[in-house]
Amino acid sequence: MKNKLTHFTLIGSLFLAFSVNAADIKNLKAGTLKDAGISEKETTLKVSGQMDASDFFYIFDNLNELTELNISEVEIIAYSGKPLNYTGLSSSPANTLPAYSLTGLTNLSSITLPTNLQGIGKGSLSGTGITVLSVPNKVTTIEDYAFMRCANLESIEIPESVTSLGERAFAYCPELKTVTISATLQSIPEGLFEACGGLQDISLEYLAQCTEIGPWALAECMGLETLVLPQNSQIINDAALYGASGIKLLKLPESVSYIGNNAMTAMSALNTLNASDVIAVPELGENVWGRMDKSSVTLVTPNNQTDDYKAAEQWNEFNIISKDEWQSSTQNISSEINESRLSVKLTNSELYVTAENSYLGVVSIYNVSGNRIATSVAENTAKFNIANWTPGVYLIVTSKGVAKVSI
């Protein structure tokens, strides 16, 4: 009997050891992850089945060494129950990553989200160690602070399905370099990319329904050298571009009617402000272009509004020229090519753009109306066939700098 007992005890111990080290939990029933025997030292975890907010709280509270989480085969069901410790969360909807569910898991560098996910809750991934994330294409809502202070986040893709972005959803992510955003937005929320100092590549031009740039939305994005705002933007709110000190050329949307307090303060690299398609002189808040030598910045105005800008406070301190005057110039935007080591060569039928001793990346060509007419991605030199292009002035926009060329 003693030998049999020892035998079964040994089998039970082996089974327990296997369970404790399990990284793949199958057919989970919501609310039972705490009973799955997962080691607190576990670094990788895959779950299939159902989870609710209490399961995510278990991960948050116990699996601090987790580096990889795969919940692609999980159905997140609604939670309603006693408030969870720390978060105080007592309810959470189905198909939504619960609020503050994984906050502060700094070792978590990879997460694969459920394919049927519809929402990413408030602060749910803030402070985690994730580096790259592709948001599932059924997600409609990303709530406030969802990815704030993700110190290692380098790139993110936001699909067209997203119709609601919360305040500061990606703020204070210093390593964030590339954002692909095709969301259907009415406005860019307050502080959305605030203090993302490494941000180099973001295009907002395809946000056709966006009419408002929120306060601090792109403030202190020092790494941005080029920026195209949504074409139907009417309001640029307070401090929206405060401290975006790398932007050299900015084209104002034709519908813009108001620019708020300190909206473009400390944009120290700005040398061309293109308002050539703006319908009427926008109203301004206080100190819109503070800490800037406006006399060294060229303001391009519509041909019939040059005098209006010269008579308007704050506007009249720029170096003002009409659209026709600007188009007739063949000079490159001052100092940009030298500073960025960007060279441009023009022949009868081809245009060459080269980044000396560095990776070039995406090169976009815009006409004077602000429409993009060509794009190329190149390691060092991009080549465009210009044989059929209409003669005129074009803008060459790259992450290395901006140039103007007459063809």
Side-chain angles (χ1 to χ4, degrees):
M1 184 71 179
K2 181 177 180 182
N3 290 337
K4 288 185 178 180
L5 180 61
T6 303
H7 177 69
F8 283 111
T9 302
L10 177 60
I11 292 176
S13 298
L14 289 173
F15 178 77
L16 179 60
F18 175 81
S19 300
V20 166
N21 291 296
D24 191 350
I25 309 299
K26 300 181 185 298
N27 302 315
L28 184 73
K29 181 180 178 181
T32 66
L33 190 63
K34 65 181 184 299
D35 302 318
I38 304 171
S39 168
E40 292 186 1
K41 301 296 184 180
E42 191 60 70
T43 59
T44 62
L45 175 63
K46 181 178 181 181
V47 182
S48 65
Q50 294 183 332
M51 294 176 66
D52 65 14
S54 67
D55 297 309
F56 285 99
F57 171 73
Y58 174 79
I59 294 173
F60 163 81
D61 196 35
N62 294 277
L63 305 184
N64 293 318
E65 296 188 22
L66 197 66
T67 61
E68 182 177 348
L69 176 63
N70 186 335
I71 52 174
S72 60
E73 299 176 15
V74 163
E75 177 189 5
I76 300 176
I77 68 171
Y79 173 80
S80 180
K82 65 177 184 180
L84 300 172
N85 289 344
Y86 303 119
T87 65
L89 194 69
S90 59
S91 64
S92 181
N95 298 316
T96 296
L97 198 62
Y100 302 110
S101 53
L102 300 170
T103 298
L105 294 182
T106 56
N107 291 317
L108 183 62
S109 59
S110 174
I111 181 169
T112 307
L113 296 171
T115 55
N116 63 349
L117 192 70
Q118 297 175 10
I120 298 176
K122 189 173 185 179
S124 55
L125 289 165
S126 62
T128 60
I130 58 172
T131 57
V132 177
L133 187 70
S134 179
V135 176
N137 60 14
K138 291 185 180 179
V139 170
T140 60
T141 301
I142 299 175
E143 297 185 14
D144 297 350
Y145 323 125
F147 300 90
M148 189 171 76
R149 298 191 187 280
C150 287
N152 302 322
L153 184 63
E154 296 179 357
S155 68
I156 191 162
E157 297 181 12
I158 307 170
E160 188 176 358
S161 60
V162 174
T163 58
S164 176
L165 276 173
E167 293 182 6
R168 292 181 170 81
F170 306 100
Y172 302 97
C173 295
E175 298 300 318
L176 184 61
K177 294 179 176 62
T178 304
V179 176
T180 303
I181 178 169
S182 53
T184 308
L185 301 176
Q186 301 293 323
S187 64
I188 296 176
E190 180 172 345
L192 183 62
F193 297 106
E194 182 180 353
C196 292
L199 187 60
Q200 297 175 356
D201 186 10
I202 181 172
S203 179
L204 306 176
E205 61 187 300
Y206 299 115
L207 304 182
Q209 299 182 39
C210 182
T211 60
E212 187 170 350
I213 313 298
W216 300 91
L218 290 157
E220 298 182 6
C221 289
M222 291 86 74
L224 277 178
E225 294 187 3
T226 62
L227 178 66
V228 179
L229 295 173
Q231 61 181 356
N232 293 315
S233 297
Q234 299 172 19
I235 298 173
I236 301 174
N237 273 295
D238 296 354
L241 292 169
Y242 181 100
S245 56
I247 296 176
K248 300 175 181 180
L249 178 144
L250 185 65
K251 188 176 192 298
L252 296 178
E254 65 177 24
S255 301
V256 66
S257 59
Y258 176 74
I259 305 175
N261 301 335
N262 296 295
M264 300 179 189
T265 288
M267 290 182 65
S268 54
L270 188 68
N271 56 44
T272 303
L273 183 61
N274 187 349
S276 61
D277 293 329
V278 177
I279 295 171
V281 180
E283 295 183 14
L284 301 176
E286 296 180 2
N287 201 34
V288 173
W289 293 283
R291 291 158 53 190
M292 184 189 300
D293 179 11
K294 286 189 280 185
S295 64
S296 65
V297 178
T298 297
L299 172 63
V300 186
T301 70
N303 293 324
N304 61 349
Q305 294 183 33
T306 301
D307 289 341
D308 295 336
Y309 280 90
K310 289 181 177 179
E313 291 187 10
Q314 296 190 69
W315 293 107
N316 58 16
E317 298 173 36
F318 288 105
N319 173 31
I320 299 175
I321 64 172
S322 69
K323 183 176 182 178
D324 281 350
E325 289 178 292
W326 186 63
Q327 290 179 1
S328 66
S329 171
T330 58
Q331 296 179 352
N332 289 334
I333 297 172
S334 62
S335 75
E336 289 184 304
I337 288 179
N338 289 334
E339 289 178 0
S340 62
R341 299 186 301 280
L342 181 70
S343 65
V344 178
K345 180 182 177 182
L346 187 65
T347 69
N348 290 333
S349 60
E350 292 177 322
L351 172 65
Y352 297 86
V353 182
T354 302
E356 299 176 6
N357 303 317
S358 64
Y359 176 73
L360 181 58
V362 179
V363 181
S364 297
I365 309 294
Y366 294 82
N367 62 20
V368 293
S369 297
N371 299 316
R372 184 164 59 180
I373 63 168
T375 299
S376 178
V377 179
E379 290 284 336
N380 181 257
T381 299
K383 182 174 71 173
F384 299 89
N385 188 325
I386 62 172
N388 296 319
W389 288 14
T390 303
V393 176
Y394 293 84
L395 289 180
I396 303 167
V397 179
T398 80
S399 63
K400 305 300 179 185
V402 182
K404 186 169 64 174
V405 64
S406 180
I407 294 174

